[in-house]
Amino acid sequence: MPNLHEIENAMPVAPLKIVALSSAAKLGEHVNKYLVEFRKTIKNDKVKMDPAFHGYSENNYLVDISTPRFGSGEGKAVFNESVRGKDLFILVDVCNHSITYKMNGFINHMSPDDHYQDLKRVIAACTGKAHRINVIMPFMYESRQHKRTGRESLDCAFMLQELRDMGISNFITFDAHDPRVQNAIPLNGFDNFTPPYQFIKALLNSEEDLIVDKDHLLVISPDEGALDRAIYFATVLGVDTGMFYKRRDYSTIVNGKNPIVAHEFLGDNVDGKDIIIIDDMISSGGSMIDTAKQLKKMNARRVFICCTFGLFTEGLKAFDEAYEKGYFDKVVTTDLNYLPPELYSKPYFIEADMSKFVASLIDFMNHDASLSNVLTTADKIHGIVDAYNSRRNMDIYE
């Protein structure tokens, strides 16, 4: 855990508790495990001996909570233990479609709207009792509806304002589609984190023969919206970057979107190079597969797809077929959102574990310590790349 001295010399805001909704139960368990380890090893005797902070080091920080539903489909949130005076961190995954509930005899899969309503119920059940309420929503609800281009709603901005009015203190998300939406709540805490370190760590642990330099590796943005991510990633790794421009047909609308006519490439020669495509999400995956296909046609050596959120809204069949045809080599996604169980058996899948990072965020926020201590720095990425290159060079000469 980075910069432990920051915590060892600080007092927590209040006793820590984690509320992991059913949508984020798996992530919550992993985060809780790391927090238990952190608190048992930290040398903060000032806190451990202070009776005001009894419970600083616990075997479990998860709150016993349920969100049952009536036969009509209506629901409620019930805390089965006291959270008065606690510093609450609520974990929710609005994209977890695997959870079902019965309504009028029918089985319904929970939608992002359902998960968001459950989140509000939880906040309503503890507002005025908890010392502070913090929401960790890795995939930001309605983040793709962050701006108005016609007579339409501004759902993401409204969501943030609604949570602010309900009394939350901090909102934490990952790889927001457009982080400028935080302007909707300028006086509230809003933190947006990206996982470049976890991406490169997962990729280097999986591949034994990557050469990280500008002659052998190229970072590609699949569209203009992801260019900032690609530029940062490429700059830290010391390699070149490129971009695909999505040419759309703005005269028609299909499924609420203007269909893509073609992907035009802007960038350096990819012949014989390994390619990392980096983006915030895989939705249906159609444009990502098309991008990978074009790169292979341009004689790219290998294509690695790195996305924060693997939604796979149309299943894995298209990816299975594309992998068999050799359009890409690996898909790296985080564990921040629900992933279909069958994905773990795919030969092309690599999971980037974010639970330790989330646990570090929670621990530092609970102590009101600067979050710059846990942010990914260029030095940290350089360190893991240098260690990989040293290990690889030893393997070559042995």
Side-chain angles (χ1 to χ4, degrees), residues 1 16 18 30-40 58 61 358-360 362-363:
M1 191 177 177
L16 172 65
I18 303 171
H30 293 166
V31 168
N32 178 65
K33 182 190 73 172
Y34 281 116
L35 280 169
V36 170
E37 292 177 4
F38 293 163
R39 293 291 174 95
K40 287 188 180 300
E58 295 280 359
Y61 295 98
V358 174
S360 298
I362 291 174
D363 212 13

Side-chain angles (χ1 to χ4, degrees), residues 22-311:
S22 56
S23 60
K26 182 180 177 181
L27 178 63
E29 290 174 1
H30 293 166
V31 168
N32 178 65
K33 182 190 73 172
Y34 281 116
L35 280 169
V36 170
E37 292 177 4
F38 293 163
R39 293 291 174 95
K40 287 188 180 300
T41 57
I42 197 168
K43 298 176 181 178
N44 194 337
D45 296 330
K46 181 169 58 177
V47 169
K48 289 181 178 180
M49 295 176 64
D50 191 334
F53 289 95
H54 174 70
Y56 180 81
S57 179
E58 295 280 359
N59 293 321
N60 179 42
Y61 295 98
L62 290 170
V63 174
D64 184 6
I65 186 175
S66 58
T67 52
R69 288 182 179 265
F70 301 100
S72 61
E74 298 166 291
K76 63 178 179 178
V78 181
F79 280 88
N80 300 313
E81 63 181 89
S82 174
V83 292
R84 188 173 297 277
K86 310 297 184 184
D87 190 19
L88 290 186
F89 288 83
I90 306 175
L91 285 169
V92 58
D93 174 15
V94 297
C95 291
N96 191 338
H97 60 274
S98 70
I99 301 174
T100 60
Y101 64 93
K102 186 174 289 188
M103 182 177 70
N104 293 80
F106 295 96
I107 300 297
N108 283 2
H109 285 263
M110 289 186 70
S111 70
D113 292 340
D114 291 319
H115 289 301
Y116 179 55
Q117 286 301 118
D118 274 355
L119 170 65
K120 291 195 294 182
R121 292 182 179 110
V122 169
I123 295 171
C126 62
T127 300
K129 303 173 183 66
H131 178 82
R132 189 174 67 171
I133 301 173
N134 312 276
V135 171
I136 300 180
M137 186 187 290
F139 186 94
M140 187 157 55
Y141 174 70
E142 291 290 355
S143 59
R144 301 174 79 176
Q145 187 53 31
H146 63 283
K147 62 182 179 180
R148 178 176 285 155
T149 56
R151 298 183 184 91
E152 56 190 28
S153 57
L154 282 170
D155 298 65
C156 190
F158 182 75
M159 177 271 296
L160 291 172
Q161 292 180 348
E162 192 171 24
L163 295 184
R164 174 203 62 191
D165 293 342
M166 292 188 74
I168 75 164
S169 299
N170 297 293
F171 184 89
I172 301 99
T173 191
F174 288 82
D175 220 340
H177 200 61
D178 189 341
R180 290 175 297 181
V181 74
Q182 68 185 285
N183 294 331
I185 51 168
L187 301 182
N188 274 61
F190 181 101
D191 291 291
N192 176 51
F193 300 99
T194 55
Y197 173 75
Q198 286 78 12
F199 280 157
I200 193 64
K201 181 179 179 181
L203 199 54
L204 293 181
N205 285 337
S206 171
E207 302 299 318
E208 298 180 352
D209 59 344
L210 271 176
I211 303 176
V212 184
D213 63 35
K214 63 180 181 180
D215 296 323
H216 299 87
L217 186 66
L218 190 65
V219 177
I220 298 294
S221 168
D223 55 41
E224 57 275 21
L227 186 58
D228 288 346
R229 298 180 186 89
I231 290 175
Y232 173 77
F233 205 30
T235 301
V236 173
L237 294 177
V239 301
D240 290 329
T241 187
M243 182 190 81
F244 276 89
Y245 168 69
K246 290 180 180 178
R247 188 152 51 87
R248 296 180 180 271
D249 180 4
Y250 289 98
S251 64
T252 59
I253 297 178
V254 178
N255 295 328
K257 298 182 294 184
N258 301 111
I260 298 170
V261 177
H263 290 87
E264 307 288 349
F265 181 68
L266 304 172
D268 198 6
N269 181 25
V270 304
D271 187 13
K273 293 183 179 180
D274 288 328
I275 308 296
I276 296 176
I277 307 175
I278 189 164
D279 204 357
D280 60 337
M281 74 176 77
I282 295 173
S283 185
S284 65
S287 61
M288 188 66 72
I289 291 173
D290 188 48
T291 299
K293 180 180 178 181
Q294 290 198 46
L295 287 167
K296 280 299 182 81
K297 284 184 177 179
M298 296 161 66
N299 203 29
R301 180 170 177 249
R302 290 178 296 185
V303 175
F304 304 106
I305 299 171
C306 294
C307 284
T308 307
F309 303 106
L311 303 183

